Amino acid sequence: MRPSLEERIEEAMAALHARAASSVLWVALSGGRDSTCLLLLAARVVQRYPDIILRAVHIHHGLQPAADAFVDTARCVCEQLNVPLHVERVSLEGCGGLEADARRARYGAFEALLAPGDTLWMAHHQEDQAETLLYRLMRGSGVRGLAGMPARRALGKGWLERPLLDASRHEIDACLAGEAIVWCDDPTNDEDIQDRNYLRHQIMTPLAKRWPAAAEQMARSATYLREADELLQVLAEMDLAALGGAPHRLPRAPLCHLSRPRQRLVIDTALKRLGLVSPPRNRLDTLLDQLARAGVDRQMQVVWPGAQARLWRETLFLLADSELHSSDQVWSIEWKGKTPVETPLGTISDRLQPLAGHEDVLILAPRAGGEKLRLNGQHRPLKKLLQEHGIPPWQRGRIVVAWHGNSLAGVLGPLPLAADGWTLERGDAHADSGCVDQ
């Protein structure tokens, strides 16, 4: 026998309490039936958990004349349930479709609202999950996309949970049927202009007439796909570890020995580790084709928005655009070698001090060419040192040199080195690539 909605909310509340006895629980309240049902059940169950603070948040998009009425309804619901309400007004950037822009603004507001340890509950249910699967299927999504919405995931400093994800719309309607509580329907839900409304009315409704359990079965399929995606991620992490474990640099030969699907998977995983967007499928295949044909001395470069891949010395480097920007300006900055300093190439957070212990003023400047650094009693050309240490060509433009009079005291950035008589202490925030902090 399936548990009731209140039993499912009780289970979710107990799990939340077990993770953090004293915490703030937000419920995203649009004023519609689904979110009203969720807040009603949460308000009942939370009374058994006095350490959990329950609050509601309403996002005011301002997209239609009824938007202010939604706020009034949300306030009325919260007054009935004695739950504090926070109303967040957002504006859309207009850089995509209306649905995508509204979603981006909504989740951005939620992310900014959550403090460390906070949890946000959203009222997505089985039919929402089925529509998500169909929507992403029409976009040609892979396993991860078709897995639909997760029941729980990180969101900013807190967590997003969907405790009604396995509940049907019928169960939600039945829950509200005997309740003296207000809620409202968004009039735009009856329009087919937006993609999700079209799927709901023109696809899901006919499907449900032929197959009454269509939404439940599609939601179940999304669950299976999520399990498959989790297994694929385990495989990708194993492959990444076998390739050295550094997501920004993958050895070409071992990578090419993997099957093409595993190559795609490990590169996608490495890019996500780096916080970079994955390239479109055809761009990724172009990258892998060039990688397979590349000779020992060949360099290659494949670019997509926000990132690119470069092959150098039989290693595939995955790079953010910001790592490639160098300054053509001629500049110099006085620095005492102790405190962080801003430069046109980013923040220097290292400490460069003379071994003698006295304080000296250094001059920071970009590398100009021809510099020599005294190491172990010998003056070594900086160009030679860069080659010996395997600093890729695109990183050499981000080298910052520190002068003490006419002598080079140290090198900062991708190749941190201190000259004889000086000591260099690295700052707290440095990527494995050794770039100047961004």
Side-chain angles (χ1 to χ4, degrees), residues 157-191:
K157 298 176 181 178
W159 293 91
L160 164 63
E161 295 181 353
R162 298 179 172 95
L164 297 181
L165 199 55
D166 67 343
S168 68
R169 183 175 285 123
H170 174 74
E171 289 178 283
I172 291 173
D173 288 342
C175 177
L176 290 177
E179 299 293 338
I181 193 166
V182 297
W183 52 271
C184 61
D185 276 327
D186 184 340
T188 63
N189 285 341
D190 295 328
E191 301 172 357

Side-chain angles (χ1 to χ4, degrees), residues 13-25 46 49-54 115-119:
M13 194 78 73
L16 173 63
H17 187 264
R19 288 191 297 269
S22 299
S23 59
V24 176
L25 171 61
V46 79
Y49 298 89
D51 291 337
I52 296 179
I53 301 172
L54 179 63
D118 285 3
T119 298

Side-chain angles (χ1 to χ4, degrees), residues 34 107 122-126 128-129 149 162-166:
D34 303 335
Y107 279 84
M122 299 188 73
H124 295 117
H125 48 72
Q126 274 183 0
D128 293 323
Q129 186 74 298
M149 298 176 287
R162 298 179 172 95
L164 297 181
L165 199 55
D166 67 343

